[in-house]
Amino acid sequence: MSSEPTTDPSHPNPYKDEIVISWPELHRDARYLSGVLDGIGEWKGIIAITRGGLVPAALVARELEIRLIDTVCVVSYGAQDGAGAEQKQGELHWLKRVEGDGAGWLLIDDLVDTGRTARAVRETLPKAHFATLYAKPKGRPLVDTFVKEFRQEKWVYFPWDIDYR
């Protein structure tokens, strides 16, 4: 999620409150996630879901000393006009996929919200271990490992989304 909730009156805003994740909190949670993932086993590499999964994937890769990182790139058509993908439920559009079924790979994202993107990626890489820093109830069943769960109606701002004052 990289854009703010919509204020368009014809498109009701499902978000009632917000959470701001700081850089130190994100780093601490990524370290915790890395410790959990390290205890699960050996990994061939990491597949980051762009764009949100890039920073968490880099932090996890550093902690686990993983050097092989790839990406899957999928967007909602609605995300291209400046509104968040979750507000504009357009079709998903794949920009880049990876080969295989994901066996032995870590699939990393920052947040699983409604599960729409996660479901599409999970269908493409069913054997990958899907880990996110944060999860919401609708998307939670799609991930194998996560650090914190937030209520569905919370809008999550990541450090790259905001300007500190």
Side-chain angles (χ1 to χ4, degrees), residues 25-152:
E25 182 179 9
L26 182 96
H27 197 231
R28 182 181 61 244
D29 291 341
R31 276 199 164 143
Y32 178 83
L33 180 62
S34 298
V36 171
L37 296 171
D38 189 40
I40 292 174
E42 295 289 318
W43 306 104
K44 292 178 182 177
I46 291 175
I47 301 168
I49 300 175
T50 67
R51 291 175 306 198
L54 290 170
V55 172
L59 295 171
V60 169
R62 185 167 180 85
E63 290 294 319
L64 297 181
E65 297 183 17
I66 294 173
R67 297 193 180 270
L68 184 57
I69 302 173
D70 204 343
T71 59
V72 290
C73 311
V74 61
V75 296
S76 167
Y77 282 112
Q80 297 171 354
D81 64 9
E86 299 304 337
Q87 287 78 39
K88 296 278 234 173
Q89 291 290 324
E91 285 186 45
L92 291 178
H93 176 67
W94 284 92
L95 301 175
K96 180 184 177 294
R97 298 178 192 244
V98 296
E99 297 210 10
D101 60 9
W105 287 80
L106 277 174
L107 183 59
I108 303 284
D109 206 355
D110 55 355
L111 169 74
V112 61
D113 190 331
T114 64
R116 195 160 167 269
T117 301
R119 190 171 290 104
V121 175
R122 181 60 107 178
E123 288 172 3
T124 303
L125 300 165
K127 293 187 179 178
H129 185 92
F130 196 172
T132 62
L133 292 176
Y134 311 113
K136 292 185 181 180
K138 286 184 182 177
R140 182 179 175 204
L142 296 164
V143 298
D144 299 305
T145 306
F146 65 95
V147 178
K148 292 179 185 171
E149 183 174 356
F150 297 125
R151 291 195 324 257
Q152 195 68 44

